[in-house]
Amino acid sequence: MVRLRNFTCIFFWKWLPDLLKNKTTLHITGGEPLLHRDMWELLKIYKNEKIETPLIINTNLGVSEKIISEFIEATREIKNIQIFTSCETVREKAEYIRDGMSFELFEKNLRSILSCGNFKEVGIMATLTNLSVLHYTEFLNWVLEIKEEFGCLPKVHTNILRNPRYLSVKLLSEKNKEKSILTLESWLK
């Protein structure tokens, strides 16, 4: 009996050379790619073959500092690699929204990623929900502090959550909707 994971991997590794020849973008998402052994094999191929096909990796940056150090070292000679992570508020609020997150570890790993200079782009995908929108300017101020320290990175990509509906900003009270609008408008000035 062939396990599905192994079956999928066999086809991926056969398909990979054609993908890399066509110079399309390879986008790796999760679970957490930095915990998967095949991620490291892919990075070796990129490095050893000097692959220039864009590589985008989504990571929650919740892995150990040791793994982040190994990742930085493994990507040192890879061109055209981008990192995307997710966060939309800071500290204990972020930890509440993103169950299992250690904001301290997230921030430390983000700073390590930014300081190494290996990556063409580092982006943070922020999703506005009824749990995050009232604290979004705290997040933006934190990002500005990071940008001041490291230059133009990271870029923030903001989305408004539509589903699941119970997290929609539309469920905020009128008072909190108004408060969030006024806070964001004030911040933008």
Side-chain angles (χ1 to χ4, degrees):
M1 183 164 139
V2 177
R3 296 175 76 194
L4 183 58
R5 187 199 164 290
N6 293 337
F7 183 74
T8 304
C9 286
I10 290 167
F11 282 102
F12 173 77
W13 294 112
K14 285 185 176 188
W15 169 68
L16 185 62
D18 288 336
L19 171 78
L20 298 178
K21 278 187 242 169
N22 292 324
K23 305 265 191 232
T24 58
T25 299
L26 180 56
H27 194 148
I28 307 293
T29 60
E32 174 53 60
L34 301 185
L35 294 177
H36 198 286
R37 67 177 180 258
D38 289 342
M39 181 77 240
W40 303 98
E41 186 61 33
L42 180 64
L43 293 175
K44 283 182 196 171
I45 291 169
Y46 259 79
K47 182 178 178 178
N48 294 339
E49 302 295 324
K50 301 193 183 335
I51 303 295
E52 294 185 18
T53 299
L55 176 61
I56 300 172
I57 301 170
N58 284 39
T59 172
N60 63 25
L61 295 179
V63 297
S64 70
E65 294 173 60
K66 179 180 183 280
I67 291 174
I68 290 296
S69 294
E70 290 169 357
F71 178 62
I72 288 168
E73 189 56 39
T75 58
R76 221 168 268 296
E77 296 173 37
I78 299 174
K79 297 178 181 179
N80 209 358
I81 185 169
Q82 301 172 43
I83 299 298
F84 285 91
T85 191
S86 300
C87 194
E88 49 278 310
T89 188
V90 295
R91 296 170 196 69
E92 61 278 342
K93 292 174 191 99
E95 292 173 350
Y96 178 80
I97 292 170
R98 296 190 172 270
D99 186 43
M101 175 190 219
S102 162
F103 187 80
E104 182 181 341
L105 180 63
F106 172 82
E107 183 175 29
K108 192 177 286 185
N109 286 342
L110 179 64
R111 289 177 180 279
S112 295
I113 291 287
L114 292 169
S115 65
C116 76
N118 292 6
F119 305 100
K120 182 178 177 182
E121 180 179 342
V122 176
I124 301 175
M125 297 175 290
T127 303
L128 294 182
T129 71
N130 56 20
L131 297 175
S132 66
V133 71
L134 292 170
H135 310 286
Y136 191 58
T137 56
E138 293 174 49
F139 168 73
L140 294 174
N141 287 331
W142 174 78
V143 170
L144 287 177
E145 290 172 18
I146 299 283
K147 282 187 173 205
E148 196 170 293
E149 184 177 342
F150 292 100
C152 64
L153 297 172
K155 293 181 180 177
V156 175
H157 306 268
T158 304
N159 298 294
I160 297 174
L161 180 123
R162 288 172 178 50
N163 285 303
R165 291 179 193 246
Y166 65 86
L167 291 174
S168 172
V169 294
K170 293 179 182 179
L171 293 179
L172 290 172
S173 67
E174 291 304 316
K175 178 182 169 187
N176 280 335
K177 285 179 188 174
E178 186 66 27
K179 181 181 176 184
S180 64
I181 290 168
L182 291 172
T183 304
L184 283 168
E185 284 178 345
S186 175
W187 188 88
L188 289 168
K189 290 180 183 176

PDB file of all heavy atoms in Angstrom, residues 68-90:
ATOM      1  N   ILE A  68      15.517  28.723  12.607  1.00  0.00           N
ATOM      2  CA  ILE A  68      15.628  29.980  11.850  1.00  0.00           C
ATOM      3  C   ILE A  68      17.077  30.208  11.434  1.00  0.00           C
ATOM      4  O   ILE A  68      17.354  30.588  10.285  1.00  0.00           O
ATOM      5  CB  ILE A  68      15.077  31.175  12.659  1.00  0.00           C
ATOM      6  CG1 ILE A  68      13.554  31.065  12.788  1.00  0.00           C
ATOM      7  CG2 ILE A  68      15.466  32.516  12.010  1.00  0.00           C
ATOM      8  CD1 ILE A  68      12.764  31.153  11.496  1.00  0.00           C
ATOM      9  N   SER A  69      18.021  29.948  12.325  1.00  0.00           N
ATOM     10  CA  SER A  69      19.451  30.096  11.976  1.00  0.00           C
ATOM     11  C   SER A  69      19.836  29.148  10.845  1.00  0.00           C
ATOM     12  O   SER A  69      20.550  29.537   9.910  1.00  0.00           O
ATOM     13  CB  SER A  69      20.333  29.824  13.197  1.00  0.00           C
ATOM     14  OG  SER A  69      20.123  30.800  14.165  1.00  0.00           O
ATOM     15  N   GLU A  70      19.372  27.909  10.927  1.00  0.00           N
ATOM     16  CA  GLU A  70      19.658  26.938   9.865  1.00  0.00           C
ATOM     17  C   GLU A  70      19.004  27.373   8.547  1.00  0.00           C
ATOM     18  O   GLU A  70      19.594  27.217   7.473  1.00  0.00           O
ATOM     19  CB  GLU A  70      19.159  25.550  10.277  1.00  0.00           C
ATOM     20  CG  GLU A  70      19.971  24.943  11.397  1.00  0.00           C
ATOM     21  CD  GLU A  70      19.338  23.691  12.005  1.00  0.00           C
ATOM     22  OE1 GLU A  70      18.221  23.300  11.593  1.00  0.00           O
ATOM     23  OE2 GLU A  70      19.973  23.100  12.909  1.00  0.00           O
ATOM     24  N   PHE A  71      17.815  27.914   8.618  1.00  0.00           N
ATOM     25  CA  PHE A  71      17.113  28.405   7.430  1.00  0.00           C
ATOM     26  C   PHE A  71      17.877  29.571   6.798  1.00  0.00           C
ATOM     27  O   PHE A  71      18.074  29.613   5.578  1.00  0.00           O
ATOM     28  CB  PHE A  71      15.692  28.822   7.816  1.00  0.00           C
ATOM     29  CG  PHE A  71      14.882  29.378   6.691  1.00  0.00           C
ATOM     30  CD1 PHE A  71      14.587  28.612   5.574  1.00  0.00           C
ATOM     31  CD2 PHE A  71      14.389  30.669   6.758  1.00  0.00           C
ATOM     32  CE1 PHE A  71      13.824  29.125   4.534  1.00  0.00           C
ATOM     33  CE2 PHE A  71      13.628  31.183   5.723  1.00  0.00           C
ATOM     34  CZ  PHE A  71      13.348  30.419   4.615  1.00  0.00           C
ATOM     35  N   ILE A  72      18.322  30.492   7.604  1.00  0.00           N
ATOM     36  CA  ILE A  72      19.097  31.634   7.101  1.00  0.00           C
ATOM     37  C   ILE A  72      20.358  31.135   6.417  1.00  0.00           C
ATOM     38  O   ILE A  72      20.703  31.582   5.317  1.00  0.00           O
ATOM     39  CB  ILE A  72      19.416  32.617   8.248  1.00  0.00           C
ATOM     40  CG1 ILE A  72      18.128  33.354   8.662  1.00  0.00           C
ATOM     41  CG2 ILE A  72      20.512  33.600   7.846  1.00  0.00           C
ATOM     42  CD1 ILE A  72      18.246  34.137   9.952  1.00  0.00           C
ATOM     43  N   GLU A  73      21.048  30.195   7.042  1.00  0.00           N
ATOM     44  CA  GLU A  73      22.269  29.646   6.447  1.00  0.00           C
ATOM     45  C   GLU A  73      21.959  28.909   5.144  1.00  0.00           C
ATOM     46  O   GLU A  73      22.674  29.060   4.152  1.00  0.00           O
ATOM     47  CB  GLU A  73      22.969  28.713   7.450  1.00  0.00           C
ATOM     48  CG  GLU A  73      24.333  28.263   7.004  1.00  0.00           C
ATOM     49  CD  GLU A  73      25.286  29.416   6.693  1.00  0.00           C
ATOM     50  OE1 GLU A  73      25.283  30.433   7.408  1.00  0.00           O
ATOM     51  OE2 GLU A  73      26.035  29.290   5.697  1.00  0.00           O
ATOM     52  N   ALA A  74      20.879  28.149   5.116  1.00  0.00           N
ATOM     53  CA  ALA A  74      20.512  27.372   3.917  1.00  0.00           C
ATOM     54  C   ALA A  74      20.097  28.266   2.748  1.00  0.00           C
ATOM     55  O   ALA A  74      20.171  27.848   1.597  1.00  0.00           O
ATOM     56  CB  ALA A  74      19.377  26.397   4.252  1.00  0.00           C
ATOM     57  N   THR A  75      19.669  29.483   3.031  1.00  0.00           N
ATOM     58  CA  THR A  75      19.205  30.385   1.960  1.00  0.00           C
ATOM     59  C   THR A  75      20.235  31.439   1.574  1.00  0.00           C
ATOM     60  O   THR A  75      19.978  32.252   0.699  1.00  0.00           O
ATOM     61  CB  THR A  75      17.906  31.100   2.384  1.00  0.00           C
ATOM     62  OG1 THR A  75      18.146  31.834   3.599  1.00  0.00           O
ATOM     63  CG2 THR A  75      16.774  30.114   2.588  1.00  0.00           C
ATOM     64  N   ARG A  76      21.394  31.401   2.193  1.00  0.00           N
ATOM     65  CA  ARG A  76      22.397  32.452   1.980  1.00  0.00           C
ATOM     66  C   ARG A  76      22.750  32.681   0.506  1.00  0.00           C
ATOM     67  O   ARG A  76      22.948  33.803   0.090  1.00  0.00           O
ATOM     68  CB  ARG A  76      23.649  32.138   2.786  1.00  0.00           C
ATOM     69  CG  ARG A  76      24.199  33.386   3.407  1.00  0.00           C
ATOM     70  CD  ARG A  76      25.258  33.148   4.427  1.00  0.00           C
ATOM     71  NE  ARG A  76      24.821  33.031   5.792  1.00  0.00           N
ATOM     72  CZ  ARG A  76      24.242  33.989   6.502  1.00  0.00           C
ATOM     73  NH1 ARG A  76      23.986  35.144   5.959  1.00  0.00           N
ATOM     74  NH2 ARG A  76      23.914  33.796   7.762  1.00  0.00           N
ATOM     75  N   GLU A  77      22.835  31.636  -0.271  1.00  0.00           N
ATOM     76  CA  GLU A  77      23.244  31.781  -1.675  1.00  0.00           C
ATOM     77  C   GLU A  77      22.081  31.627  -2.652  1.00  0.00           C
ATOM     78  O   GLU A  77      22.303  31.479  -3.852  1.00  0.00           O
ATOM     79  CB  GLU A  77      24.332  30.755  -1.980  1.00  0.00           C
ATOM     80  CG  GLU A  77      25.601  30.991  -1.160  1.00  0.00           C
ATOM     81  CD  GLU A  77      26.607  29.876  -1.342  1.00  0.00           C
ATOM     82  OE1 GLU A  77      26.729  29.355  -2.463  1.00  0.00           O
ATOM     83  OE2 GLU A  77      27.272  29.531  -0.339  1.00  0.00           O
ATOM     84  N   ILE A  78      20.860  31.663  -2.147  1.00  0.00           N
ATOM     85  CA  ILE A  78      19.689  31.526  -3.016  1.00  0.00           C
ATOM     86  C   ILE A  78      19.186  32.913  -3.380  1.00  0.00           C
ATOM     87  O   ILE A  78      18.957  33.749  -2.512  1.00  0.00           O
ATOM     88  CB  ILE A  78      18.577  30.707  -2.331  1.00  0.00           C
ATOM     89  CG1 ILE A  78      19.077  29.299  -2.026  1.00  0.00           C
ATOM     90  CG2 ILE A  78      17.325  30.672  -3.201  1.00  0.00           C
ATOM     91  CD1 ILE A  78      18.102  28.456  -1.224  1.00  0.00           C
ATOM     92  N   LYS A  79      19.032  33.129  -4.675  1.00  0.00           N
ATOM     93  CA  LYS A  79      18.507  34.413  -5.143  1.00  0.00           C
ATOM     94  C   LYS A  79      16.994  34.314  -5.275  1.00  0.00           C
ATOM     95  O   LYS A  79      16.441  33.240  -5.467  1.00  0.00           O
ATOM     96  CB  LYS A  79      19.106  34.770  -6.502  1.00  0.00           C
ATOM     97  CG  LYS A  79      20.599  34.968  -6.462  1.00  0.00           C
ATOM     98  CD  LYS A  79      21.140  35.275  -7.823  1.00  0.00           C
ATOM     99  CE  LYS A  79      22.645  35.428  -7.706  1.00  0.00           C
ATOM    100  NZ  LYS A  79      23.288  35.705  -8.949  1.00  0.00           N
ATOM    101  N   ASN A  80      16.348  35.436  -5.192  1.00  0.00           N
ATOM    102  CA  ASN A  80      14.923  35.534  -5.500  1.00  0.00           C
ATOM    103  C   ASN A  80      14.040  34.695  -4.575  1.00  0.00           C
ATOM    104  O   ASN A  80      13.177  33.952  -5.020  1.00  0.00           O
ATOM    105  CB  ASN A  80      14.676  35.167  -6.962  1.00  0.00           C
ATOM    106  CG  ASN A  80      13.468  35.882  -7.511  1.00  0.00           C
ATOM    107  OD1 ASN A  80      12.783  36.626  -6.804  1.00  0.00           O
ATOM    108  ND2 ASN A  80      13.192  35.658  -8.778  1.00  0.00           N
ATOM    109  N   ILE A  81      14.281  34.833  -3.282  1.00  0.00           N
ATOM    110  CA  ILE A  81      13.466  34.126  -2.294  1.00  0.00           C
ATOM    111  C   ILE A  81      12.716  35.161  -1.455  1.00  0.00           C
ATOM    112  O   ILE A  81      13.270  36.203  -1.103  1.00  0.00           O
ATOM    113  CB  ILE A  81      14.331  33.189  -1.413  1.00  0.00           C
ATOM    114  CG1 ILE A  81      13.463  32.379  -0.473  1.00  0.00           C
ATOM    115  CG2 ILE A  81      15.397  33.932  -0.684  1.00  0.00           C
ATOM    116  CD1 ILE A  81      14.215  31.254   0.231  1.00  0.00           C
ATOM    117  N   GLN A  82      11.454  34.885  -1.214  1.00  0.00           N
ATOM    118  CA  GLN A  82      10.606  35.781  -0.439  1.00  0.00           C
ATOM    119  C   GLN A  82       9.989  35.015   0.723  1.00  0.00           C
ATOM    120  O   GLN A  82       9.684  33.834   0.597  1.00  0.00           O
ATOM    121  CB  GLN A  82       9.485  36.337  -1.310  1.00  0.00           C
ATOM    122  CG  GLN A  82       9.974  37.114  -2.518  1.00  0.00           C
ATOM    123  CD  GLN A  82       8.834  37.472  -3.444  1.00  0.00           C
ATOM    124  OE1 GLN A  82       7.780  37.885  -3.005  1.00  0.00           O
ATOM    125  NE2 GLN A  82       9.053  37.300  -4.741  1.00  0.00           N
ATOM    126  N   ILE A  83       9.794  35.719   1.828  1.00  0.00           N
ATOM    127  CA  ILE A  83       9.193  35.140   3.025  1.00  0.00           C
ATOM    128  C   ILE A  83       7.917  35.911   3.339  1.00  0.00           C
ATOM    129  O   ILE A  83       7.907  37.136   3.309  1.00  0.00           O
ATOM    130  CB  ILE A  83      10.148  35.260   4.240  1.00  0.00           C
ATOM    131  CG1 ILE A  83      11.437  34.518   3.988  1.00  0.00           C
ATOM    132  CG2 ILE A  83       9.474  34.782   5.521  1.00  0.00           C
ATOM    133  CD1 ILE A  83      11.286  33.050   3.774  1.00  0.00           C
ATOM    134  N   PHE A  84       6.862  35.171   3.648  1.00  0.00           N
ATOM    135  CA  PHE A  84       5.622  35.783   4.113  1.00  0.00           C
ATOM    136  C   PHE A  84       5.227  35.135   5.424  1.00  0.00           C
ATOM    137  O   PHE A  84       5.354  33.924   5.600  1.00  0.00           O
ATOM    138  CB  PHE A  84       4.501  35.615   3.085  1.00  0.00           C
ATOM    139  CG  PHE A  84       4.670  36.526   1.906  1.00  0.00           C
ATOM    140  CD1 PHE A  84       5.376  36.106   0.792  1.00  0.00           C
ATOM    141  CD2 PHE A  84       4.135  37.803   1.911  1.00  0.00           C
ATOM    142  CE1 PHE A  84       5.556  36.937  -0.293  1.00  0.00           C
ATOM    143  CE2 PHE A  84       4.316  38.645   0.833  1.00  0.00           C
ATOM    144  CZ  PHE A  84       5.020  38.215  -0.278  1.00  0.00           C
ATOM    145  N   THR A  85       4.765  35.960   6.345  1.00  0.00           N
ATOM    146  CA  THR A  85       4.275  35.488   7.627  1.00  0.00           C
ATOM    147  C   THR A  85       2.963  36.203   7.910  1.00  0.00           C
ATOM    148  O   THR A  85       2.516  37.008   7.099  1.00  0.00           O
ATOM    149  CB  THR A  85       5.338  35.708   8.726  1.00  0.00           C
ATOM    150  OG1 THR A  85       4.948  35.016   9.900  1.00  0.00           O
ATOM    151  CG2 THR A  85       5.584  37.175   8.996  1.00  0.00           C
ATOM    152  N   SER A  86       2.349  35.907   9.034  1.00  0.00           N
ATOM    153  CA  SER A  86       1.055  36.507   9.347  1.00  0.00           C
ATOM    154  C   SER A  86       1.017  37.036  10.769  1.00  0.00           C
ATOM    155  O   SER A  86       1.467  36.366  11.700  1.00  0.00           O
ATOM    156  CB  SER A  86      -0.060  35.468   9.197  1.00  0.00           C
ATOM    157  OG  SER A  86      -0.107  34.967   7.899  1.00  0.00           O
ATOM    158  N   CYS A  87       0.477  38.240  10.899  1.00  0.00           N
ATOM    159  CA  CYS A  87       0.265  38.849  12.205  1.00  0.00           C
ATOM    160  C   CYS A  87      -0.547  40.119  11.972  1.00  0.00           C
ATOM    161  O   CYS A  87      -0.429  40.735  10.900  1.00  0.00           O
ATOM    162  CB  CYS A  87       1.597  39.182  12.878  1.00  0.00           C
ATOM    163  SG  CYS A  87       1.437  39.548  14.634  1.00  0.00           S
ATOM    164  N   GLU A  88      -1.352  40.520  12.945  1.00  0.00           N
ATOM    165  CA  GLU A  88      -2.162  41.719  12.760  1.00  0.00           C
ATOM    166  C   GLU A  88      -2.314  42.549  14.016  1.00  0.00           C
ATOM    167  O   GLU A  88      -2.954  43.584  14.014  1.00  0.00           O
ATOM    168  CB  GLU A  88      -3.535  41.408  12.184  1.00  0.00           C
ATOM    169  CG  GLU A  88      -4.289  40.308  12.861  1.00  0.00           C
ATOM    170  CD  GLU A  88      -3.850  38.937  12.391  1.00  0.00           C
ATOM    171  OE1 GLU A  88      -3.773  38.688  11.187  1.00  0.00           O
ATOM    172  OE2 GLU A  88      -3.573  38.100  13.273  1.00  0.00           O
ATOM    173  N   THR A  89      -1.698  42.127  15.082  1.00  0.00           N
ATOM    174  CA  THR A  89      -1.639  42.903  16.305  1.00  0.00           C
ATOM    175  C   THR A  89      -0.410  42.429  17.073  1.00  0.00           C
ATOM    176  O   THR A  89       0.363  41.640  16.538  1.00  0.00           O
ATOM    177  CB  THR A  89      -2.969  42.803  17.099  1.00  0.00           C
ATOM    178  OG1 THR A  89      -2.932  43.718  18.187  1.00  0.00           O
ATOM    179  CG2 THR A  89      -3.250  41.411  17.578  1.00  0.00           C
ATOM    180  N   VAL A  90      -0.200  42.926  18.261  1.00  0.00           N
ATOM    181  CA  VAL A  90       1.065  42.648  18.946  1.00  0.00           C
ATOM    182  C   VAL A  90       0.864  42.023  20.317  1.00  0.00           C
ATOM    183  O   VAL A  90      -0.217  42.057  20.881  1.00  0.00           O
ATOM    184  CB  VAL A  90       1.923  43.930  19.084  1.00  0.00           C
ATOM    185  CG1 VAL A  90       2.355  44.433  17.720  1.00  0.00           C
ATOM    186  CG2 VAL A  90       1.174  45.023  19.845  1.00  0.00           C
TER     187      VAL A  90
END
